[in-house]
Amino acid sequence: MGYRERRVELIAKRAAPHLEPGEQIQTGFIAQTGWWIFTAPVATFVATDRAILIVGRDGVQRMPRDFRFGEPSGLYHQIELDRTYKVHRQYYPELTAADEALRGMRDRGNSPESEQR
């Protein structure tokens, strides 16, 4: 199993206890909340067909799926939510995939906003 496959497996394992029945993972990535690479707290972001899950040491947050991460650039892409999260460029394909999945859901007419009602 390669590095990328191990990352996917780790993200799915962290998300599994927090998924609702039938909820499907679209993609996921790791973000840090501090500045020091080796000591920074990290959070696992998981984009599903219903929500954005943020799994961290303080528990889980379930955010609306209609959140867009934006076009990543530089060494770290910043996401501003309850705090600043920094995503390393190795996860930029996952950031882009999450936004593309949201766009695809909206194009098909099954936006997450309408599913949550």
Side-chain angles (χ1 to χ4, degrees), residues 37-48:
I37 293 173
F38 299 109
T39 60
V42 297
T44 303
F45 277 70
V46 181
T48 75

Side-chain angles (χ1 to χ4, degrees), residues 4 47 54 64 73:
R4 190 167 188 76
I54 305 172
S73 63

Side-chain angles (χ1 to χ4, degrees), residues 70 92 97:
Y92 285 6

